[in-house]
Amino acid sequence: MPAVSKGDGMRGLAVFISDIRNCKSKEAEIKRINKELANIRSKFKGDKALDGYSKKKYVCKLLFIFLLGHDIDFGHMEAVNLLSSNKYTEKQIGYLFISVLVNSNSELIRLINNAIKNDLSSRNPTFMCLALHCIANVGSREMAEAFAGEIPRILVAGDTMDSVKQSAALCLLRLYKTSPDLVLMGEWTSRVVHLLNDQHMGVVTAAISLITCLSQKNPDEFKTCVSLAVSRLSRIVSSASTDLQDYTYYFVPAPWLSCKLLRLLQCYPPPEDGAVKGRLVECLETILNKAQEPPKSKKVQHSNAKNAILFEAISLIIHYDSEPNLLVRACNQLGQFLQHRETNLRYLALESMCTLASSEFSHEAVKTHIETVINALKTERDVSVRQRAADLLYAMCDRSNAKQIVAEMLSYLETADYSIREEMVLKVAILAEKYAVDYSWYVDTILNLIRIAGDYVSEEVWYRVIQIVINRDDVQGYAAKTVFEALQAPACHENMVKVGGYILGEFGNLIAGDPRSSPLVQFNLLHSKFHLCSVPTRALLLSAYIKFINLFPETKSTIQEVLRSDSQIRNSDVELQQRAVEYLKLSSIASTDVLATVLEEMPPFPERESSILAKLKKKKGPGAVSVNELEEGKREGGELNGGGDRGGDSSAIAASNASTPSPSADLLGLRTGPPVTAAAPSAGSLLVDVFSEAGVNDDGFLRDLEPPTESSDSLLAEGPGDSDSAPPSVVSEDPAPPLPESNELLNKFVCKNNGVLFENQLLQIGIKSEYRQNLGRMYLFYGNKTSVQFINVQAKPVEPLIEGGAQVQQVINIECLTDFTEAPLLNIKFRYGGALQNLSLKLPVTINKFFQPTEMASHDFFQRWKQLSQPQQEAQKIFKANNAMDTEVLKAKLLGLGMALLENVDPNPENFVCAGVIQTKAQQVGSLLRLEPNAQAQMYRLTVRSSKDTVSKRLCELLAEQF
Amino acid sequence: MIGGLFIYNHKGEVLISRVYRDDIGRNAVDAFRVNVIHARQQVRSPVTNIARTSFFHIKRSNIWLAAVTKQNVNAAMVFEFLYKMCDVMTAYFGKISEENIKNNFVLIYELLDEILDFGYPQNSETGALKTFITQQGIKGQVRTKEEQSQITSQVTGQIGWRREGIKYRRNELFLDVLESVNLLMSPQGQVLSAHVSGRVVMKSYLSGMPECKFGMNDKIVIDKQGKGGTTDDSGKSGKQSIAIDDCTFHQCVRLSKFDSERSISFIPPDGEYELMRYRTTKDIILPFRVIPLVREVGRTKLEVKVVIKSNFKPSLLAQKIEVRIPTPLNTSGVQVICMKGKAKYKASENAIVWKIKRMAGMKESQISAEIELLPTNDKKKWARPPISMNFEVPFAPSGLKVRYLKVFESKLNYSDHDVIKWVRYIGRSGIYETRC
């Protein structure tokens, strides 16, 4: 390369630059630049042609101005002119200007390309190199289009100089990276691979970069490079430090080339050819051996170069993961580095060991360094090194050392850097769970974790504790005791309160025997934290309180007091308010049995992958935790939380309660529906609790809401006969006569919508229904009370069979077309054992179900009353009371009828007056009702007036039975 | 309130740093330097908010003055204070430059102690300050204790801007009306926007505690008087009166009197001060008219012809006339021909600068130039910045006239007639631009 002689120095440029450096202010600088630009413009414009030197000088100045951040919009032509100069310096400046300043869509690109082509074919190596550098520096698609074909030719041509070959290889690499589709290697592939054999080390170094990149895309085409690379590597490794002359760097032969070779080999699996493999293993051993040798120089460059090769070799060993001997040696070598003075080395050693730990061959070897690593975690000054140490601890953890590692990590967590705390917390949580043999230890660990680093404990972590505690009977008592103790600390983290609230709500009874943790003490402890918590936590605590009411009836009054207080029941947060109101109602209305059912202990959670792992995965991104480790975690998690199958009845329960969706996750899975109006008629049977609307809803936490199995069809007042389009079966098609008691059954439902329609020793049929205007929907629940299957159940085709103890749900949609008197029939047939059972029931659909309550004032009422004065519009009945004449009960019944109960209408306050409109598809029937009880005679007089005579009669009949 | 005040040189080195409140940390100094002075893009807003801290800065030549606060202060007050601070410093040591600030840093700290107290601006009247902050320290010690105690009562008293017992052999008074006229005109000669901002600057050398009354041809005052007087008089004076859009006064002016009678009466400070500032936008006399003619001949040539016409009484002479004609960024050569004055292409400013020493009213002059252009790669069109102009004329373009300035001093025996009064009008160009 011709040296730049003194005479070529550009004085004008130097003066200009020093002028600018001396400028006192930005304004002065701009002025100087403007002046210079004007000067250059006038020079370029000038009629006499500039000589090469001045052209170069001015282009240089423009370049300098551009690099200062000013726009340059002229002088490109002059720069292109410089390209065709024969002087090296002028050409160099021209290329420099173009690679810095010319954008790809310039008109000049054609000229430039032409100049580059000329240089490429010039046979002058310096010019060729300049041109290649320019192509690589611009590296645009246009450049690739123009020269992608040319460069490989130069690269493999026999007569190309070495330096040009180097440039060509790197230029091609650059073009390949920008537009891989344009660089087609095809025929050149093998010749490029053979560049690895080139005499010139520089060419090999350049070529290997290209080959590494290409082979990542098409590994097969470049497979042959493996053996070449191995032989090249072995030649370098075995050479004495003086053999390679220029390419020996501080006594290390060709360190860059060695690293690149090792990296290339990492793109491929271990060589299959035994000889090659043997040679490679030999090389790796030599490298490991050399690491043990005393250093040949004290210079840091020497050890850096040596270690670079060593680490690259270790990565290759880890990549192959097939040579236990080498792996162990690598691990020992890294172990030495762990105590090295150099921080960088320690960092690298920890990082490599992390990957080593996942290999089965070296896992044990890695474990021997646990003390050192723990020490590193505690004493390292650099946070990034500590981070690596934490990673390594996580990677080397297994059953044998889990307790120690978790304890160390926990103790470190107290002083850990904020940046890595969250990750540390996740890791501790995962390890504790993964390797927990003793669950009390697990609970202790996690609670400690929350205590130490509560802010960094994500939702997933404490969800997981609760899942595990719920699913494991053996730790529940211990967990309750521990959280109780933990909560006693004066300052608790909110996450601790959450866990505490949940666990005490579920299992507080397990420790209630101890007077120190009596129910009231527990409650007061929880409530003392209440006011310091955020809304979701408060909601959770409210749920815990209602569970307390169930667990410890003696706390009921205290808790109700709390719920009733203004701060709860009038809370501005709608969720809290709703919970307070509903829980208060639930606790005051429902009987203990209902409470016990509703607030039953949470069923075990279904098995699933630990959510914490997913979180860690998300945090670190793929690759940080190896896949197979994750799977292991999943498997272990499976063992841990064994059991917990949900019974089939959950479907019905879940289905019955899709009410009041709430925005925040309900952890207790406890949510009341609308206030309980109808108490379950006969509590006790497990099936019955379905019918009280406050069922256990379990869409909380981690349960998916299983879609209920339902078959719906439209039915109304059609006779039962046509509802039997059953699949071909052996059963006779005739419907059985309605049961004698079905009328009474029907009467039960005049004033209420839910309840048990029918029950015998085999079958229970429950009903839940809702009506709006002339439409209704009825859910029928068929419950098998026996332990045997019913086969071929036919109502309207439901499920073909009902499992023992199971329930099947059927939905009936009802539309009221016109008024009616007879209730529709429901015909049920099923096989029990061998016997065919045939049932016919009246569906509790009566005309009053379609009442729309109408509020009206006193004089309106009497006006209407008078309007309906025709004799057939009125129906009256005087009858004796069947039940005690309790005003409240009467009111409830009349309300259940569906009409509006009008207060202060009748002059006699004893009397009841109601108004409503029956909605049918055909018409609307207004109805008025008056009930006059006579307490002394225990008699009632009921008068119904409506615009249709049949309706009046029917209503009168229906109602007479009710009182 | 102001939390601190920093002065930087052009490199961003801190020359003066005075912190008044604890909420301003030491890093505020660096924050301003990094985010404003050394900002990658020039910061054009005078108020910058960095990390909940507000910086108000002004620039004097190469010096940055920045007031800093964490509170929600009145920004106008802060800037008024900064300008006042500049005035005070100029009054003490002349031009504000890095050199001067370095040489007077003790004085500056002393001043800062006095004019800002816990961030609240105090008396910033130069005359008053000079009585107790003196540059020649030794000389000050000559003062007797009595005089020193007087300082306190005077500075904190009702008339803080003037001390008692001033005596002059000759009672003299100088009044300057300084106006700058701003204009933006379309190429066709349509006025797009024009306003005059003026100042009335006084230099008074009067004995005792005189009471002054200043009168000018303010439209409201004239109309009021016109109603009382004869009808033809009001018609005549109405023509000459001017409508003042808004005005501000020196603290010595009795505002209550101005509000009620619109008369400007005051006890003047001793020495030089600015009595009032005002702004007018109507009936402005434009001293010059610029008629540009720009023709593009092909891609490589531009012909420019500019005519200026003076538009005032022929007896008056305008001075320091300078016309600046911007040239395109790719100018490679310029030929200029002008009849009068000197014209030159200044490459460093990308403009042709045409200078005329003086020019009488109702005259006309012309310049023509041929600009050669270099073809560029970019197809960006030249933005054609407006032609700007500088000048100085001996009249007030707003039409303001001083009607009287009366001096009353009851205790000492000199009357209004004994005072020698000088009045001078100077109209300068502000931003005086014509689009081309």
PDB file of all heavy atoms in Angstrom, chain B residues 80 214 216 244 247-255 258-259 262-266 274-278:
ATOM      1  N   GLU B  80     -38.431  39.063  33.724  1.00  0.00           N
ATOM      2  CA  GLU B  80     -38.247  40.468  34.062  1.00  0.00           C
ATOM      3  C   GLU B  80     -37.050  40.618  34.996  1.00  0.00           C
ATOM      4  O   GLU B  80     -36.204  41.495  34.816  1.00  0.00           O
ATOM      5  CB  GLU B  80     -39.527  41.006  34.740  1.00  0.00           C
ATOM      6  CG  GLU B  80     -39.478  42.475  35.101  1.00  0.00           C
ATOM      7  CD  GLU B  80     -39.358  43.369  33.880  1.00  0.00           C
ATOM      8  OE1 GLU B  80     -39.895  43.000  32.832  1.00  0.00           O
ATOM      9  OE2 GLU B  80     -38.714  44.433  33.988  1.00  0.00           O
ATOM     10  N   PHE B 214     -45.406  64.031  32.909  1.00  0.00           N
ATOM     11  CA  PHE B 214     -45.026  63.789  31.523  1.00  0.00           C
ATOM     12  C   PHE B 214     -46.285  63.729  30.672  1.00  0.00           C
ATOM     13  O   PHE B 214     -47.275  63.076  31.058  1.00  0.00           O
ATOM     14  CB  PHE B 214     -44.255  62.461  31.453  1.00  0.00           C
ATOM     15  CG  PHE B 214     -43.901  62.009  30.060  1.00  0.00           C
ATOM     16  CD1 PHE B 214     -43.009  62.739  29.281  1.00  0.00           C
ATOM     17  CD2 PHE B 214     -44.447  60.842  29.542  1.00  0.00           C
ATOM     18  CE1 PHE B 214     -42.668  62.289  28.012  1.00  0.00           C
ATOM     19  CE2 PHE B 214     -44.103  60.415  28.269  1.00  0.00           C
ATOM     20  CZ  PHE B 214     -43.217  61.132  27.504  1.00  0.00           C
ATOM     21  N   MET B 216     -47.876  63.253  26.595  1.00  0.00           N
ATOM     22  CA  MET B 216     -47.627  62.942  25.181  1.00  0.00           C
ATOM     23  C   MET B 216     -48.960  62.899  24.451  1.00  0.00           C
ATOM     24  O   MET B 216     -50.018  63.026  25.068  1.00  0.00           O
ATOM     25  CB  MET B 216     -46.896  61.610  25.060  1.00  0.00           C
ATOM     26  CG  MET B 216     -47.627  60.481  25.741  1.00  0.00           C
ATOM     27  SD  MET B 216     -46.723  58.967  25.626  1.00  0.00           S
ATOM     28  CE  MET B 216     -47.848  57.868  26.415  1.00  0.00           C
ATOM     29  N   ILE B 244     -52.173  54.009  21.877  1.00  0.00           N
ATOM     30  CA  ILE B 244     -51.185  53.113  22.487  1.00  0.00           C
ATOM     31  C   ILE B 244     -51.882  51.815  22.888  1.00  0.00           C
ATOM     32  O   ILE B 244     -52.903  51.825  23.562  1.00  0.00           O
ATOM     33  CB  ILE B 244     -50.545  53.798  23.713  1.00  0.00           C
ATOM     34  CG1 ILE B 244     -49.614  54.903  23.218  1.00  0.00           C
ATOM     35  CG2 ILE B 244     -49.785  52.791  24.555  1.00  0.00           C
ATOM     36  CD1 ILE B 244     -49.010  55.726  24.315  1.00  0.00           C
ATOM     37  N   CYS B 247     -48.896  49.578  27.666  1.00  0.00           N
ATOM     38  CA  CYS B 247     -47.680  50.217  28.132  1.00  0.00           C
ATOM     39  C   CYS B 247     -47.352  49.763  29.542  1.00  0.00           C
ATOM     40  O   CYS B 247     -48.219  49.293  30.281  1.00  0.00           O
ATOM     41  CB  CYS B 247     -47.824  51.730  28.089  1.00  0.00           C
ATOM     42  SG  CYS B 247     -49.253  52.344  28.947  1.00  0.00           S
ATOM     43  N   THR B 248     -46.082  49.850  29.888  1.00  0.00           N
ATOM     44  CA  THR B 248     -45.643  49.552  31.253  1.00  0.00           C
ATOM     45  C   THR B 248     -44.783  50.721  31.717  1.00  0.00           C
ATOM     46  O   THR B 248     -44.176  51.414  30.904  1.00  0.00           O
ATOM     47  CB  THR B 248     -44.795  48.271  31.309  1.00  0.00           C
ATOM     48  OG1 THR B 248     -43.704  48.429  30.402  1.00  0.00           O
ATOM     49  CG2 THR B 248     -45.585  47.059  30.930  1.00  0.00           C
ATOM     50  N   PHE B 249     -44.751  50.898  33.045  1.00  0.00           N
ATOM     51  CA  PHE B 249     -44.041  52.054  33.585  1.00  0.00           C
ATOM     52  C   PHE B 249     -42.961  51.633  34.550  1.00  0.00           C
ATOM     53  O   PHE B 249     -42.974  50.531  35.107  1.00  0.00           O
ATOM     54  CB  PHE B 249     -45.029  52.974  34.322  1.00  0.00           C
ATOM     55  CG  PHE B 249     -46.015  53.628  33.408  1.00  0.00           C
ATOM     56  CD1 PHE B 249     -47.318  53.174  33.343  1.00  0.00           C
ATOM     57  CD2 PHE B 249     -45.630  54.688  32.599  1.00  0.00           C
ATOM     58  CE1 PHE B 249     -48.221  53.765  32.497  1.00  0.00           C
ATOM     59  CE2 PHE B 249     -46.537  55.269  31.750  1.00  0.00           C
ATOM     60  CZ  PHE B 249     -47.835  54.820  31.692  1.00  0.00           C
ATOM     61  N   HIS B 250     -42.064  52.559  34.754  1.00  0.00           N
ATOM     62  CA  HIS B 250     -41.071  52.398  35.806  1.00  0.00           C
ATOM     63  C   HIS B 250     -41.797  52.467  37.147  1.00  0.00           C
ATOM     64  O   HIS B 250     -42.863  53.078  37.254  1.00  0.00           O
ATOM     65  CB  HIS B 250     -40.042  53.535  35.696  1.00  0.00           C
ATOM     66  CG  HIS B 250     -38.886  53.380  36.624  1.00  0.00           C
ATOM     67  ND1 HIS B 250     -38.855  53.971  37.854  1.00  0.00           N
ATOM     68  CD2 HIS B 250     -37.730  52.689  36.500  1.00  0.00           C
ATOM     69  CE1 HIS B 250     -37.717  53.653  38.454  1.00  0.00           C
ATOM     70  NE2 HIS B 250     -37.004  52.872  37.645  1.00  0.00           N
ATOM     71  N   GLN B 251     -41.205  51.856  38.147  1.00  0.00           N
ATOM     72  CA  GLN B 251     -41.916  51.767  39.427  1.00  0.00           C
ATOM     73  C   GLN B 251     -42.194  53.140  40.052  1.00  0.00           C
ATOM     74  O   GLN B 251     -43.043  53.262  40.934  1.00  0.00           O
ATOM     75  CB  GLN B 251     -41.128  50.911  40.403  1.00  0.00           C
ATOM     76  CG  GLN B 251     -39.725  51.378  40.635  1.00  0.00           C
ATOM     77  CD  GLN B 251     -39.082  50.674  41.829  1.00  0.00           C
ATOM     78  OE1 GLN B 251     -39.765  50.251  42.737  1.00  0.00           O
ATOM     79  NE2 GLN B 251     -37.766  50.559  41.815  1.00  0.00           N
ATOM     80  N   CYS B 252     -41.472  54.177  39.580  1.00  0.00           N
ATOM     81  CA  CYS B 252     -41.672  55.475  40.205  1.00  0.00           C
ATOM     82  C   CYS B 252     -42.984  56.143  39.773  1.00  0.00           C
ATOM     83  O   CYS B 252     -43.461  57.064  40.426  1.00  0.00           O
ATOM     84  CB  CYS B 252     -40.481  56.388  39.907  1.00  0.00           C
ATOM     85  SG  CYS B 252     -40.325  56.776  38.161  1.00  0.00           S
ATOM     86  N   VAL B 253     -43.586  55.673  38.682  1.00  0.00           N
ATOM     87  CA  VAL B 253     -44.801  56.309  38.175  1.00  0.00           C
ATOM     88  C   VAL B 253     -45.985  55.934  39.059  1.00  0.00           C
ATOM     89  O   VAL B 253     -46.127  54.766  39.437  1.00  0.00           O
ATOM     90  CB  VAL B 253     -45.068  55.882  36.720  1.00  0.00           C
ATOM     91  CG1 VAL B 253     -46.385  56.443  36.223  1.00  0.00           C
ATOM     92  CG2 VAL B 253     -43.940  56.348  35.825  1.00  0.00           C
ATOM     93  N   ARG B 254     -46.796  56.927  39.394  1.00  0.00           N
ATOM     94  CA  ARG B 254     -47.974  56.659  40.243  1.00  0.00           C
ATOM     95  C   ARG B 254     -49.064  56.051  39.378  1.00  0.00           C
ATOM     96  O   ARG B 254     -49.721  56.725  38.597  1.00  0.00           O
ATOM     97  CB  ARG B 254     -48.475  57.953  40.870  1.00  0.00           C
ATOM     98  CG  ARG B 254     -47.476  58.537  41.821  1.00  0.00           C
ATOM     99  CD  ARG B 254     -48.125  59.529  42.753  1.00  0.00           C
ATOM    100  NE  ARG B 254     -47.118  60.057  43.635  1.00  0.00           N
ATOM    101  CZ  ARG B 254     -46.343  61.091  43.329  1.00  0.00           C
ATOM    102  NH1 ARG B 254     -46.510  61.728  42.184  1.00  0.00           N
ATOM    103  NH2 ARG B 254     -45.421  61.504  44.174  1.00  0.00           N
ATOM    104  N   LEU B 255     -49.252  54.777  39.557  1.00  0.00           N
ATOM    105  CA  LEU B 255     -50.188  54.068  38.679  1.00  0.00           C
ATOM    106  C   LEU B 255     -51.624  54.483  38.942  1.00  0.00           C
ATOM    107  O   LEU B 255     -52.446  54.530  38.042  1.00  0.00           O
ATOM    108  CB  LEU B 255     -50.027  52.560  38.867  1.00  0.00           C
ATOM    109  CG  LEU B 255     -48.715  51.987  38.325  1.00  0.00           C
ATOM    110  CD1 LEU B 255     -48.632  50.501  38.615  1.00  0.00           C
ATOM    111  CD2 LEU B 255     -48.608  52.225  36.824  1.00  0.00           C
ATOM    112  N   PHE B 258     -52.422  57.351  36.985  1.00  0.00           N
ATOM    113  CA  PHE B 258     -52.529  57.013  35.567  1.00  0.00           C
ATOM    114  C   PHE B 258     -53.877  56.362  35.275  1.00  0.00           C
ATOM    115  O   PHE B 258     -54.529  56.663  34.295  1.00  0.00           O
ATOM    116  CB  PHE B 258     -51.394  56.080  35.163  1.00  0.00           C
ATOM    117  CG  PHE B 258     -51.445  55.679  33.723  1.00  0.00           C
ATOM    118  CD1 PHE B 258     -51.069  56.580  32.733  1.00  0.00           C
ATOM    119  CD2 PHE B 258     -51.892  54.419  33.336  1.00  0.00           C
ATOM    120  CE1 PHE B 258     -51.115  56.230  31.402  1.00  0.00           C
ATOM    121  CE2 PHE B 258     -51.952  54.068  32.005  1.00  0.00           C
ATOM    122  CZ  PHE B 258     -51.561  54.978  31.030  1.00  0.00           C
ATOM    123  N   ASP B 259     -54.288  55.503  36.205  1.00  0.00           N
ATOM    124  CA  ASP B 259     -55.565  54.818  35.993  1.00  0.00           C
ATOM    125  C   ASP B 259     -56.725  55.805  36.008  1.00  0.00           C
ATOM    126  O   ASP B 259     -57.647  55.700  35.195  1.00  0.00           O
ATOM    127  CB  ASP B 259     -55.769  53.760  37.087  1.00  0.00           C
ATOM    128  CG  ASP B 259     -54.855  52.582  36.866  1.00  0.00           C
ATOM    129  OD1 ASP B 259     -54.371  52.446  35.712  1.00  0.00           O
ATOM    130  OD2 ASP B 259     -54.604  51.817  37.810  1.00  0.00           O
ATOM    131  N   ARG B 262     -55.137  59.266  33.726  1.00  0.00           N
ATOM    132  CA  ARG B 262     -54.243  58.946  32.625  1.00  0.00           C
ATOM    133  C   ARG B 262     -53.115  59.975  32.497  1.00  0.00           C
ATOM    134  O   ARG B 262     -52.620  60.267  31.412  1.00  0.00           O
ATOM    135  CB  ARG B 262     -55.014  58.829  31.306  1.00  0.00           C
ATOM    136  CG  ARG B 262     -54.519  57.571  30.541  1.00  0.00           C
ATOM    137  CD  ARG B 262     -55.286  57.259  29.320  1.00  0.00           C
ATOM    138  NE  ARG B 262     -54.473  56.540  28.359  1.00  0.00           N
ATOM    139  CZ  ARG B 262     -54.356  55.220  28.318  1.00  0.00           C
ATOM    140  NH1 ARG B 262     -54.948  54.473  29.194  1.00  0.00           N
ATOM    141  NH2 ARG B 262     -53.617  54.647  27.374  1.00  0.00           N
ATOM    142  N   SER B 263     -52.731  60.520  33.626  1.00  0.00           N
ATOM    143  CA  SER B 263     -51.584  61.424  33.590  1.00  0.00           C
ATOM    144  C   SER B 263     -50.412  60.692  34.222  1.00  0.00           C
ATOM    145  O   SER B 263     -50.578  59.900  35.150  1.00  0.00           O
ATOM    146  CB  SER B 263     -51.897  62.701  34.362  1.00  0.00           C
ATOM    147  OG  SER B 263     -51.907  62.411  35.744  1.00  0.00           O
ATOM    148  N   ILE B 264     -49.217  60.945  33.681  1.00  0.00           N
ATOM    149  CA  ILE B 264     -48.036  60.217  34.134  1.00  0.00           C
ATOM    150  C   ILE B 264     -47.249  61.149  35.047  1.00  0.00           C
ATOM    151  O   ILE B 264     -46.582  62.073  34.573  1.00  0.00           O
ATOM    152  CB  ILE B 264     -47.191  59.790  32.926  1.00  0.00           C
ATOM    153  CG1 ILE B 264     -48.048  58.934  31.985  1.00  0.00           C
ATOM    154  CG2 ILE B 264     -45.952  59.054  33.372  1.00  0.00           C
ATOM    155  CD1 ILE B 264     -47.461  58.786  30.617  1.00  0.00           C
ATOM    156  N   SER B 265     -47.363  60.942  36.344  1.00  0.00           N
ATOM    157  CA  SER B 265     -46.621  61.793  37.254  1.00  0.00           C
ATOM    158  C   SER B 265     -45.766  60.926  38.147  1.00  0.00           C
ATOM    159  O   SER B 265     -46.140  59.804  38.494  1.00  0.00           O
ATOM    160  CB  SER B 265     -47.593  62.639  38.076  1.00  0.00           C
ATOM    161  OG  SER B 265     -48.321  61.816  38.942  1.00  0.00           O
ATOM    162  N   PHE B 266     -44.592  61.456  38.521  1.00  0.00           N
ATOM    163  CA  PHE B 266     -43.621  60.619  39.220  1.00  0.00           C
ATOM    164  C   PHE B 266     -42.526  61.460  39.855  1.00  0.00           C
ATOM    165  O   PHE B 266     -42.297  62.605  39.475  1.00  0.00           O
ATOM    166  CB  PHE B 266     -42.989  59.632  38.247  1.00  0.00           C
ATOM    167  CG  PHE B 266     -42.387  60.267  37.014  1.00  0.00           C
ATOM    168  CD1 PHE B 266     -41.031  60.550  36.944  1.00  0.00           C
ATOM    169  CD2 PHE B 266     -43.192  60.590  35.923  1.00  0.00           C
ATOM    170  CE1 PHE B 266     -40.487  61.142  35.821  1.00  0.00           C
ATOM    171  CE2 PHE B 266     -42.639  61.187  34.797  1.00  0.00           C
ATOM    172  CZ  PHE B 266     -41.295  61.457  34.741  1.00  0.00           C
ATOM    173  N   GLU B 274     -35.498  53.905  32.569  1.00  0.00           N
ATOM    174  CA  GLU B 274     -36.501  53.769  31.507  1.00  0.00           C
ATOM    175  C   GLU B 274     -37.853  54.131  32.098  1.00  0.00           C
ATOM    176  O   GLU B 274     -38.360  53.440  32.988  1.00  0.00           O
ATOM    177  CB  GLU B 274     -36.504  52.326  31.015  1.00  0.00           C
ATOM    178  CG  GLU B 274     -37.385  52.084  29.838  1.00  0.00           C
ATOM    179  CD  GLU B 274     -37.400  50.602  29.501  1.00  0.00           C
ATOM    180  OE1 GLU B 274     -36.400  50.122  28.943  1.00  0.00           O
ATOM    181  OE2 GLU B 274     -38.397  49.935  29.823  1.00  0.00           O
ATOM    182  N   LEU B 275     -38.438  55.206  31.643  1.00  0.00           N
ATOM    183  CA  LEU B 275     -39.690  55.669  32.231  1.00  0.00           C
ATOM    184  C   LEU B 275     -40.855  54.785  31.837  1.00  0.00           C
ATOM    185  O   LEU B 275     -41.662  54.387  32.662  1.00  0.00           O
ATOM    186  CB  LEU B 275     -39.974  57.108  31.793  1.00  0.00           C
ATOM    187  CG  LEU B 275     -41.271  57.704  32.337  1.00  0.00           C
ATOM    188  CD1 LEU B 275     -41.173  57.855  33.849  1.00  0.00           C
ATOM    189  CD2 LEU B 275     -41.576  59.036  31.695  1.00  0.00           C
ATOM    190  N   MET B 276     -40.944  54.513  30.549  1.00  0.00           N
ATOM    191  CA  MET B 276     -42.066  53.660  30.141  1.00  0.00           C
ATOM    192  C   MET B 276     -41.738  52.870  28.888  1.00  0.00           C
ATOM    193  O   MET B 276     -40.786  53.178  28.180  1.00  0.00           O
ATOM    194  CB  MET B 276     -43.335  54.484  29.914  1.00  0.00           C
ATOM    195  CG  MET B 276     -43.337  55.335  28.664  1.00  0.00           C
ATOM    196  SD  MET B 276     -44.874  56.248  28.408  1.00  0.00           S
ATOM    197  CE  MET B 276     -46.004  55.002  27.883  1.00  0.00           C
ATOM    198  N   ARG B 277     -42.535  51.873  28.664  1.00  0.00           N
ATOM    199  CA  ARG B 277     -42.451  51.064  27.455  1.00  0.00           C
ATOM    200  C   ARG B 277     -43.834  50.992  26.865  1.00  0.00           C
ATOM    201  O   ARG B 277     -44.812  50.920  27.617  1.00  0.00           O
ATOM    202  CB  ARG B 277     -42.025  49.640  27.817  1.00  0.00           C
ATOM    203  CG  ARG B 277     -40.617  49.319  27.421  1.00  0.00           C
ATOM    204  CD  ARG B 277     -40.384  47.880  27.744  1.00  0.00           C
ATOM    205  NE  ARG B 277     -39.432  47.760  28.844  1.00  0.00           N
ATOM    206  CZ  ARG B 277     -39.024  46.573  29.293  1.00  0.00           C
ATOM    207  NH1 ARG B 277     -39.520  45.463  28.777  1.00  0.00           N
ATOM    208  NH2 ARG B 277     -38.154  46.524  30.259  1.00  0.00           N
ATOM    209  N   TYR B 278     -43.934  50.986  25.577  1.00  0.00           N
ATOM    210  CA  TYR B 278     -45.275  50.935  24.997  1.00  0.00           C
ATOM    211  C   TYR B 278     -45.227  50.243  23.655  1.00  0.00           C
ATOM    212  O   TYR B 278     -44.154  49.963  23.101  1.00  0.00           O
ATOM    213  CB  TYR B 278     -45.842  52.356  24.841  1.00  0.00           C
ATOM    214  CG  TYR B 278     -44.975  53.230  23.956  1.00  0.00           C
ATOM    215  CD1 TYR B 278     -45.194  53.323  22.577  1.00  0.00           C
ATOM    216  CD2 TYR B 278     -43.931  53.965  24.506  1.00  0.00           C
ATOM    217  CE1 TYR B 278     -44.385  54.095  21.779  1.00  0.00           C
ATOM    218  CE2 TYR B 278     -43.106  54.744  23.710  1.00  0.00           C
ATOM    219  CZ  TYR B 278     -43.341  54.804  22.350  1.00  0.00           C
ATOM    220  OH  TYR B 278     -42.529  55.560  21.566  1.00  0.00           O
TER     221      TYR B 278
END
